[in-house]
Amino acid sequence: MTTTNNDIESNVPGRRQRVQAVTTGIAVLKGLTKLGGRASLTVLAKQVSENPAKVHRYLNSMMDEGLVAQDPVSLQYYLGAGAIQIGLAAMRLADPLRVAEPALIRLRESLEMTCFIAVMGNKGPTIVRFEEPGLPVTLNVRVGSVLSLLRSATGRVFLGFTDDTVVEKLAREELAQTTSAQAGGLDGPDPVAALKEEVRKAGMAIVRDTNLQGISAIGVPIFDFSNHVVAVLTVLGATGGFDASPDSAVAQALLKEGAAISAALGHEA
Amino acid sequence: MTTTNNDIESNVPGRRQRVQAVTTGIAVLKGLTKLGGRASLTVLAKQVSENPAKVHRYLNSMMDEGLVAQDPVSLQYYLGAGAIQIGLAAMRLADPLRVAEPALIRLRESLEMTCFIAVMGNKGPTIVRFEEPGLPVTLNVRVGSVLSLLRSATGRVFLGFTDDTVVEKLAREELAQTTSAQAGGLDGPDPVAALKEEVRKAGMAIVRDTNLQGISAIGVPIFDFSNHVVAVLTVLGATGGFDASPDSAVAQALLKEGAAISAALGHEA
């Protein structure tokens, strides 16, 4: 085996040091991933805009370590068991709460509004983490609170993006218990289906005075690598205090943070 | 950003060329994976036996490419969304048939016996690929054949290692249709449960003249990265022609190839 010591560093003060061969190696791995995880040397070299001899050396190193394997018949290279192990470890770590925390803080600071993260608990959407702005008067939410699936923005996002019989059943049960006084907006032959379609179309859920009089909220979905909604990011405020429309600055900021959290969890938009 | 051109090659004829920095980079990724996907620089450097400054340069390169991220609070490094994408592509490719093919050929050549791969179809265990030795008289199996869950070695492996109500139901239905003449070995208060336990304990299933008079077979499970049995590798021959016991050379060769296929699919034994 021929190896070359190419971990040469160059010292430029104040700059973060890189290892060029690692950057190239990752480009090869990502190129293979983009090609469906499997490609010939020629196609892969073209994909990463490097010469085949160079890519071949990189692939040899990755094959030794089990990250890449070669099909003995087609001679194509493909991502191997080592890549699965690394991916699995990354997936186990893809925790929406951990990833969402910096976004919650950014939203609180930029919007000066209360925002929270909810996950689907066995009783329904449950608030697990919240941030409140440093203002004299703020809206407070309680960690552990279970929210309505039909009447809260958070619940509607879970309802809209979850294809799960348990969630559907919870929604039907809640609908059956809804009094006619609360039923505003929940009518038509199949209000649950109508709600789901509306949320999916908008990519978010907005309620104004629906769950609580005087309070509006916007919720956006957080997807994981398997395209499931694993959490909902919600901002809420006094109905007169902010513009709760899909095109508003608040809704757009929320959508952007939601998409960034999803991307960090491995979701591909 | 500082980069160094360290993709230096050295030409030693007849030897496959490597890129040392890629080998080191993969060692860092695997070290992080072994530590649960998340570690401080100090712990990670110790894990891979490199100095922290060097590991830091490697991590910087991986962070730029999204393979690794850093927690802003704990400053720990963890496997990021890029690692999930690469892992997902590798998992989609983890096809037991493709991976098992070279093993089937090796087994045919070393044992000179008929061997096949079966997957669980909607009707039961189904032969999808087989190899027969180049002998004048050989046992032949038909691709597409559905095998008995209770009476074939292949079926018993699926039954033993699958915790699936559909498979359990198929087995119960088959048991109900079994005549008393066929019932040899399938008795006791719960023959299905007894069979499952026996197979799990042995790590394989062996039948002698059970499914077909004069034919013996040994089946071993193939697991994927999620620890599910995705296929069964089976060898069969005339009952008088080979030693169909768990400690026999045939059984041990089969176990070894089954474990190698599973490892290539990302299974951790």
Side-chain angles (χ1 to χ4, degrees), chain A residues 60-221:
Chain A
N60 279 344
S61 302
M62 291 177 197
M63 286 212 288
D64 285 347
E65 304 301 324
L67 234 62
V68 167
Q70 189 176 21
D71 187 302
V73 181
S74 69
L75 300 182
Q76 285 193 324
Y77 293 90
Y78 60 92
L79 294 167
I84 295 180
Q85 296 310 337
I86 292 167
L88 284 175
M91 285 174 208
R92 284 185 208 110
L93 285 176
D95 171 8
L97 291 193
R98 196 200 65 229
V99 176
E101 191 158 323
L104 270 186
I105 294 168
R106 273 195 303 273
L107 279 174
R108 178 200 69 192
E109 286 173 355
S110 64
L111 302 178
E112 295 210 304
M113 291 173 70
T114 297
C115 46
F116 63 83
I117 293 284
V119 299
M120 197 67 197
N122 59 339
K123 299 289 183 192
T126 309
I127 298 174
V128 287
R129 185 89 184 76
F130 90 103
E131 286 288 334
E132 53 178 349
L135 299 175
V137 179
T138 64
L139 287 171
N140 203 335
V141 297
R142 198 181 292 274
V143 167
S145 299
V146 175
L147 300 168
S148 158
L149 263 174
L150 297 179
R151 306 181 62 78
S152 74
T154 311
R156 288 182 177 189
V157 174
F158 276 115
L159 182 65
F161 289 99
T162 313
D163 279 319
D164 182 311
T165 50
V166 177
V167 171
E168 184 87 17
K169 194 169 158 272
L170 278 173
R172 304 272 168 205
E173 284 173 7
E174 196 184 313
L175 185 67
Q177 289 164 9
T178 302
T179 63
S180 59
Q182 295 173 316
L186 293 173
D187 29 41
D190 190 347
V192 172
L195 209 50
K196 286 180 84 150
E197 206 196 315
E198 186 190 314
V199 169
R200 274 177 186 267
K201 232 172 163 175
M204 65 176 92
I206 299 180
V207 300
R208 296 182 195 84
D209 307 328
T210 309
N211 199 31
L212 287 166
Q213 201 55 42
I215 305 293
S216 292
I218 309 176
V220 298

Side-chain angles (χ1 to χ4, degrees), chain A residues 1-12 15-23 25-27 29-30 32-33 36-38 53-54 56-67 71-73 78-94 98-99 101-102 225-226 263-268, chain B residues 1-12 15-23 25-27 29-30 32-33 36-38 53-54 56-67 71-73 78-94 98-99 101-102 225-226 263-268:
Chain A
M1 191 173 106
T2 311
T3 58
T4 56
N5 184 1
N6 42 18
D7 176 40
I8 301 155
E9 52 180 298
S10 81
N11 278 300
V12 180
R15 292 190 181 181
R16 279 167 76 195
Q17 292 183 339
R18 300 290 180 283
V19 183
Q20 179 57 39
V22 169
T23 306
I26 294 173
L29 271 181
K30 283 186 171 177
L32 201 49
T33 302
R38 183 178 171 88
K54 181 173 175 182
H56 189 233
R57 288 199 306 279
Y58 279 78
L59 288 170
N60 279 344
S61 302
M62 291 177 197
M63 286 212 288
D64 285 347
E65 304 301 324
L67 234 62
D71 187 302
V73 181
Y78 60 92
L79 294 167
I84 295 180
Q85 296 310 337
I86 292 167
L88 284 175
M91 285 174 208
R92 284 185 208 110
L93 285 176
R98 196 200 65 229
V99 176
E101 191 158 323
F225 48 82
S226 62
L265 294 175
H267 175 67
E268 287 187 295
Chain B
M1 189 172 109
T2 310
T3 59
T4 57
N5 183 3
N6 41 20
D7 176 39
I8 301 156
E9 53 180 299
S10 80
N11 278 301
V12 180
R15 292 191 181 179
R16 282 168 71 194
Q17 292 183 339
R18 300 291 179 283
V19 183
Q20 179 56 40
V22 170
T23 307
I26 295 172
L29 272 182
K30 285 187 170 176
L32 201 49
T33 302
R38 185 179 169 89
K54 181 173 175 181
H56 189 234
R57 287 200 307 279
Y58 278 78
L59 288 169
N60 280 344
S61 301
M62 293 177 196
M63 285 212 289
D64 284 347
E65 305 300 326
L67 234 61
D71 187 302
V73 181
Y78 60 93
L79 294 167
I84 295 180
Q85 296 310 337
I86 292 167
L88 283 176
M91 283 173 209
R92 283 183 208 112
L93 285 177
R98 197 199 63 231
V99 176
E101 192 157 321
F225 48 83
S226 61
L265 294 174
H267 175 68
E268 287 187 295

